[in-house]
Amino acid sequence: MPSKRRQLRYLGFRLVGWLAWLPLTGDPWHDRTYGDLQRLGPQRAAVLLVPIACYAAVAAWAYVYFPRELLPFAGSVYAAGLFLGGTVVASTLVATKLVAWDLVRR
């Protein structure tokens, strides 16, 4: 049986790998490891970082050029969009789980 320190180290590497791959893939269930991250070449990393760079460029542009007096309005619109989108995603997830549970139960 491995020692507690080795288990914590392994868990730490898994967590670091998962957190590093999350923005690169955009998928929380990416199933990639820290070793995959070490084997990632610079070209492939650049290709994976292009969408993040585009989002950052748009965010920087909006920060610089967006009128300051409209920030509260934009924030409320953004919050409402997050709430409505989250509601749709959550209700779809719950409905899917209920249907799957009902099919398994039969």
Side-chain angles (χ1 to χ4, degrees):
M1 177 177 223
S3 68
K4 294 287 182 191
R5 203 157 102 195
R6 186 177 297 159
Q7 287 177 344
L8 285 175
R9 185 172 180 252
Y10 174 74
L11 183 62
F13 277 127
R14 284 193 48 96
L15 182 64
V16 166
W18 184 83
L19 287 173
W21 275 109
L22 183 62
L24 294 176
T25 61
D27 181 14
W29 296 276
H30 50 71
D31 212 22
R32 304 250 173 103
T33 64
Y34 182 75
D36 294 335
L37 188 65
Q38 287 180 324
R39 290 186 292 276
L40 185 66
Q43 271 187 323
R44 182 71 181 142
V47 168
L48 289 171
L49 288 173
V50 166
I52 296 172
C54 291
Y55 294 140
V58 169
W61 179 86
Y63 179 76
V64 170
Y65 292 108
F66 200 78
R68 296 291 176 233
E69 59 272 3
L70 292 180
L71 279 178
F73 174 72
S76 65
V77 169
Y78 182 68
L82 281 177
F83 174 74
L84 293 175
T87 303
V88 169
V89 169
S91 62
T92 304
L93 181 68
V94 167
T96 305
K97 294 294 182 185
L98 286 174
V99 168
W101 176 72
D102 188 47
L103 288 175
V104 168
R105 198 181 63 159
R106 288 183 183 193

